[in-house]
């Protein structure tokens, strides 16, 4: 109820007291992070985190992509082996004088692996970029990538 | 018989080069340099280094050996070796890099915070490394005894004496550069003989007068006949190919010396790019042993697995062991095909030089794979038993080669590529569940991971021992010699079953850890 009485209610001395106790304001001791400088909250660039749901969705997407490509390749190997070893006619087909059972395992799988790998890198990077855009971190990503 | 001096000179050059790089200007400056080359290695350099690391004796000598021994069947091995990195790219590369784990035990700790699981993982990793070093030492022994007539123990000793100082002095940083260069050395060591032999055969065929082409069998026979024409047809062949493909596709994921390299990438996206580059480098490389393997079938004398004219030397041929191991067609003899090929085509100095080039490249293969393995084993030993000190790393390195040297001295010659395929089966069964399910499934429990690891390790090694005991030609031995097709699913199933129905629940941190593994770095900076 009773406020602690000011030692001296007169205005001038009050101000002097405050001046004596004034603390000089300084900037933060550490330099601001690039994100802090570049993110403008008024334009909607706010730090946000990915929600657990978004993380799950990303994981599920990447897993589906991997299983699709990996299982696909494994089955392709098994099926082609089965074809080459059972269908008798294929062994007589030659490419530049080399029979098919030699040509296929010797050269055909490697371009497929590189192609599959390229597709995967593209698709998984795109999925990550989509997530970053959704949570508004795409600009921050640009900053981070700069060495 | 080629002259030993050229071979010894080539091998010595390769060894001196390896030591010089580590002792020279590339010394590690900090502990971070020592372990992960300060995570500043650009993708192309990293990809070359991983390829240099990965292309071991099995790839350099073994693939051509298998083609000589099995014909078209042998062509499926290099496809599997390459496809292993496809799996790595799809499921492991980026998450593993984002985990920040340097070794597999680190990864296990990150996921479960369990000292027990950590110890077990470390044990399996060390065992894998040991198993993998042995074929490298065998390859070294084979190379020097075939080309230079040295006693069998010289090759392994040379490898150990070169690898140890390199690793002790330089750690990861020097090893990265040395291995990147060694990839290109290996490529050239196969490319040069390949080009020269092709040119020579082409010229002989067009002029037609050479005694060599007179004695050559018609090209058609190369495709048909093999040392084991009847061994692998029908269901057994299909089973073996499927099993092999699965083992090689899943096993790469657990190779410690390959995984450790991914921690040198700057970030997850770079890890993916590195792996994609790596797929191209490996594809480029494997064309060469394939071509040379076919040429070897054409040119080499029948006794050594080829169809060519009768041998005029063959004095140093390793006698075929009569008890069955995978590819027991005189495992050594077939693996040495590549080393004999140049001398069979060229006479005199040209042959000597080309043999020396191949032998030098083979030594680059043994040295780089060994140093990669030693670095990774030493890293694990150091972190497990010496709290990560550089001194522990050095002690670990000594331990990493000491035991295989002893084991290698007593075990007989097993075909290189076959032996390495067995190691892949072991890692895929023992470490596959922990790595793959650990990265992708939040429901994995510690008990589940342990169950999968123990069952995978015990069952796969027991099966291989039974298979080796039975011998390849016994009916049903294929099932034990190539257990991957049932063994890997078994260990995954056990892991899932114990995680699902066991009493333990997944760790509370699972959600957060998985987010860290899969979120791109930019999003992680935000949710810090």
């Amino acid at each position: 109820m009773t406020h602690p009485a000011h030692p001296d209610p007169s205005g001038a001395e009050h101000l002097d007291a405050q001046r004596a106790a004034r603390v000089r304001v300084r900037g933060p001791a550490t330099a601001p992070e690039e994100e802090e400088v570049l993110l403008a909250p008024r334009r909607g660039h706010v730090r946000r985190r990915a929600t657990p749901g978004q993380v799950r969705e990303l994981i599920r997407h990447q897993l589906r992509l991997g299983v699709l490509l990996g299982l696909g390749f494994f089955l392709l190997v098994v099926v082609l082996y089965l074809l080459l070893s059972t269908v008798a006619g294929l062994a007589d087909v030659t490419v530049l004088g080399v029979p098919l059972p030699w040509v296929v395992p010797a050269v055909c799988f490697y371009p497929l692996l590189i192609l599959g790998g390229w597709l995967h890198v593209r698709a998984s990077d795109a999925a990550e970029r989509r997530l970053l855009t959704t949570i508004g971190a795409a600009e921050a990503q640009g900053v981070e990538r700069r060495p | 018989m080629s002259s030993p001096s050229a071979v010894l000179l080539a091998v010595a050059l390769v060894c001196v080069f390896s030591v010089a790089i580590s002792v020279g200007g590339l010394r590690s400056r900090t502990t971070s340099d020592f372990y992960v080359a300060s995570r500043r290695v650009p993708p192309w350099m990293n990809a070359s280094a991983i390829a240099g690391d990965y292309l071991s004796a099995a790839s350099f000598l073994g693939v051509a050996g298998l083609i000589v021994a099995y014909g078209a069947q042998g062509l499926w091995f290099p496809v599997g070796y390459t496809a292993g990195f496809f799996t790595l790219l799809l499921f492991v590369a980026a998450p593993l890099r984002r985990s920040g784990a340097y070794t597999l035990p680190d990864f296990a700790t990150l996921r479960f915070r369990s000292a027990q699981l950590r110890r077990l993982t470390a044990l399996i990793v060390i065992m894998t490394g040991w198993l993998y070093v042995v074929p490298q030492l065998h390859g070294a022994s084979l190379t020097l005894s075939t080309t230079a007539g040295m006693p069998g123990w010289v090759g392994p000793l040379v490898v150990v004496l070169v690898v140890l100082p390199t690793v002790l002095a330089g750690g990861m940083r020097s090893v990265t550069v040395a291995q990147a260069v060694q990839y290109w050395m290996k490529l050239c060591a196969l490319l040069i003989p390949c080009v020269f032999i092709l040119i020579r055969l082409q010229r002989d065929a067009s002029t037609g007068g050479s005694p060599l082409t007179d004695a050559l069998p018609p090209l058609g026979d190369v495709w048909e006949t093999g040392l084991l024409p009847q061994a692998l047809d029908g269901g057994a062949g299909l089973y073996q190919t499927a099993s092999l493909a699965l083992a090689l596709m899943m096993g790469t994921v657990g190779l410690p010396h390959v995984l450790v390299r991914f921690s040198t990438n700057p970030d997850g996206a770079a890890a993916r790019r590195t792996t994609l580059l790596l797929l191209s480098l490996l594809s480029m490389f494997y064309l060469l042993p394939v071509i040379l393997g076919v040429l070897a079938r054409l040119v080499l004398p029948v006794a050594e697995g080829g169809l060519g004219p009768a041998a005029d030397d063959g004095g140093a041929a390793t006698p075929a062991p009569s008890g069955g191991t995978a590819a027991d067609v005189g495992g050594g003899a077939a693996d040495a095909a590549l080393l004999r090929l140049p001398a069979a085509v060229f006479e005199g100095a040209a042959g000597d030089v080309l043999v020396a080039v191949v032998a030098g490249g083979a030594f680059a293969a043994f040295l780089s794979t060994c140093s990669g393995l030693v670095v990774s084993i030493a890293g694990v030993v150091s972190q497990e038993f010496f709290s990560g000190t550089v001194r522990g790393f050095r002690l670990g390195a000594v331990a990493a080669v000491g035991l295989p040297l002893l084991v290698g001295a007593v075990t007989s010659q097993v075909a290189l590529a076959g032996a390495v395929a067995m190691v892949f089966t072991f890692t895929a069964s023992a470490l596959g569940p922990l790595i793959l399910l650990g990265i992708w499934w939040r429901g994995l429990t510690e008990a589940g991971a342990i169950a999968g690891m123990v069952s995978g390790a015990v069952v796969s090694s027991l099966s291989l021992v039974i298979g080796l005991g039975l011998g390849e030609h016994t009916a049903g031995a294929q099932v034990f010699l190539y257990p991957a097709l049932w063994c890997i699913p078994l260990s995954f199933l056990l892991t899932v079953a114990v995680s699902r129905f066991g009493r333990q629940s997944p760790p509370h941190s699972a959600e957060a850890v998985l987010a860290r593994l899969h979120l791109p770095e930019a999003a992680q900076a935000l949710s810090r």
Side-chain angles (χ1 to χ4, degrees):
Chain A
M1 196 185 102
T2 47
H3 293 283
H6 288 294
D8 187 353
S10 74
E13 289 203 17
H14 172 57
L15 274 178
D16 280 346
Q18 276 201 337
R19 201 167 287 140
R22 185 171 286 165
V23 178
R24 195 177 286 271
V25 175
R26 292 203 181 94
T30 54
E33 291 174 23
E34 284 166 304
E35 297 164 34
E36 286 176 329
V37 176
L38 296 174
L39 292 186
R42 262 185 247 162
R43 281 191 280 154
H45 299 169
V46 192
R47 289 160 167 261
R48 289 197 211 120
R49 8 168 103 231
T51 63
Q54 284 170 323
V55 176
R56 268 172 208 239
E57 201 187 323
L58 178 74
I59 295 178
R60 213 169 296 140
H61 174 273
Q62 309 284 47
L63 184 61
R64 212 178 303 131
L65 183 69
V67 168
L68 192 77
L69 287 169
L71 203 63
F73 184 79
F74 178 70
L75 291 180
L76 184 76
V77 169
V78 172
V79 167
L80 274 181
Y81 180 85
L82 198 63
L83 281 181
L84 289 172
S85 62
T86 52
V87 181
L90 286 181
D92 300 330
V93 181
T94 59
V95 180
L96 300 174
V98 184
L100 226 43
W102 285 78
V103 171
V104 171
V107 289
C108 289
F109 290 115
Y110 301 106
L112 282 178
L113 282 174
I114 296 173
L115 179 73
W118 181 72
L119 285 176
H120 175 263
V121 168
R122 237 176 53 134
S124 54
D125 276 1
E128 286 173 2
R129 242 188 337 266
R130 270 200 304 280
L131 178 84
L132 288 176
T133 318
T134 321
I135 65 174
E139 292 83 357
Q141 184 194 23
V143 171
E144 289 252 323
R145 283 290 153 75
R146 204 182 302 151
Chain B
M1 190 88 210
S2 57
S3 85
S5 52
V7 170
L8 292 182
L9 185 69
V11 169
L13 275 179
V14 170
C15 295
V16 166
F17 164 79
S18 301
V19 174
I21 276 194
S22 66
V23 178
L26 294 160
R27 208 167 294 137
S28 297
R29 285 172 203 87
T30 61
T31 312
S32 169
D33 255 5
F34 199 83
Y35 280 114
V36 290
S38 295
R39 303 198 193 279
R40 271 196 309 249
V41 183
W44 64 268
M45 169 83 101
N46 219 346
S48 301
I50 299 174
D53 205 345
Y54 181 66
L55 293 171
S56 64
S59 304
F60 196 89
L61 297 178
V63 167
L66 283 173
I67 292 167
V68 168
Y70 290 109
Q73 199 87 34
L75 295 174
W76 297 79
F77 272 81
V79 173
Y81 287 143
T82 316
F85 282 95
F86 189 52
T87 321
L88 203 78
L89 169 65
L90 296 181
F91 299 110
V92 180
L96 189 76
R97 172 59 195 90
R98 283 176 184 145
S99 76
Y102 171 62
T103 62
L104 277 180
D106 281 352
F107 175 76
T109 309
L110 174 77
R111 194 73 175 70
F112 293 103
R113 314 232 163 270
S114 148
Q116 195 189 6
L117 186 63
R118 189 190 168 97
R119 274 287 145 89
L120 191 62
T121 316
L123 204 68
I124 303 255
V125 166
I126 294 171
M127 274 171 69
T128 309
W130 276 337
L131 285 176
Y132 212 118
V133 170
V134 173
Q136 310 306 321
L137 298 182
H138 276 315
S141 157
L142 179 75
T143 304
L144 282 193
S145 61
T146 308
T147 55
M150 292 281 180
W153 52 267
V154 178
L157 198 68
V158 170
V159 169
V160 169
L161 287 181
V162 173
V163 165
L164 266 186
T166 320
V167 173
L168 294 185
M172 194 58 144
R173 191 176 150 122
S174 68
V175 169
T176 300
V177 179
Q179 284 179 337
V181 177
Q182 272 159 345
Y183 165 77
W184 297 100
M185 276 164 74
K186 282 183 249 189
L187 191 77
C188 293
L190 288 187
L191 188 63
I192 294 169
C194 192
V195 167
F196 276 96
I197 291 170
L198 281 176
I199 291 174
R200 173 66 188 261
L201 290 180
Q202 188 74 38
R203 211 180 51 203
D204 285 356
S206 57
T207 55
S210 142
L212 182 66
T213 34
D214 287 347
L216 281 183
L219 197 64
D221 284 359
V222 180
W223 314 121
E224 300 300 327
T225 340
L227 275 186
L228 289 175
Q230 82 295 0
L232 299 159
D233 39 38
L238 177 66
Y239 171 81
Q240 192 201 307
T241 306
S243 198
L244 196 66
L246 189 66
L248 298 180
M249 277 185 82
M250 306 288 284
T252 310
V253 161
L255 293 181
H257 64 304
V258 171
L259 291 186
V260 81
R261 293 232 144 262
F262 278 85
S263 53
T264 54
N265 282 300
D267 61 15
R272 280 203 196 104
R273 269 169 194 78
T274 298
T275 324
L276 183 58
L277 260 170
L278 184 60
L279 279 176
S280 327
L281 291 182
L282 291 180
S283 304
M284 201 158 79
F285 177 85
Y286 278 125
L287 282 180
L288 296 170
V290 165
I291 295 173
L292 286 168
V294 173
L295 290 175
R297 280 171 74 86
L298 188 68
V299 171
L300 285 182
V302 181
E304 286 159 29
L307 307 158
D312 54 340
D313 62 301
T318 325
S322 52
T325 56
D328 66 10
V329 213
D335 283 329
L338 213 52
L339 296 166
R340 296 170 187 287
L341 180 60
V345 178
F346 292 93
E347 281 125 30
D352 287 351
V353 170
L354 288 182
V355 168
V357 168
V358 175
F363 253 80
F366 313 141
L367 291 178
S368 60
T369 305
C370 273
S371 50
L373 285 165
V374 168
V375 165
S376 64
I377 300 176
V380 171
V381 169
S382 156
Q383 294 204 325
E384 269 325 290
F385 306 107
F386 298 95
S387 58
T389 58
V390 169
R391 181 176 147 267
F393 185 90
R394 293 183 168 150
L395 284 174
V398 175
V401 284
L403 195 83
L405 195 60
L406 290 178
V407 173
V410 293
T411 50
S412 63
Q413 302 264 359
V414 177
L416 296 173
V420 168
M422 289 179 194
V423 181
F424 277 71
T425 308
F426 177 80
T427 54
S429 318
L431 296 172
L434 171 72
I435 301 170
L436 290 175
L437 295 175
I439 289 177
W440 294 99
W441 187 39
R442 55 172 59 74
L444 181 67
T445 67
E446 189 196 335
I450 291 179
M453 204 182 283
V454 171
S455 67
V458 170
V459 172
S460 64
S461 36
L462 264 185
S463 164
L464 290 173
V465 168
I466 293 175
L468 288 174
L470 284 176
E472 194 178 12
H473 300 295
T474 323
Q478 295 284 328
V479 179
F480 294 108
L481 273 175
Y482 296 90
L485 203 55
W486 53 271
C487 197
I488 296 172
L490 179 79
S491 68
F492 272 87
L493 272 180
L494 260 173
T495 311
V496 172
V498 172
S499 298
R500 257 275 152 76
F501 306 113
R503 263 175 297 161
Q504 232 176 22
S505 54
H508 295 299
S509 60
E511 192 95 18
V513 172
L514 252 67
R516 173 165 168 198
L517 297 183
H518 292 282
L519 279 180
E521 280 79 2
Q524 298 192 355
L526 293 186
S527 55
R528 196 160 38 205

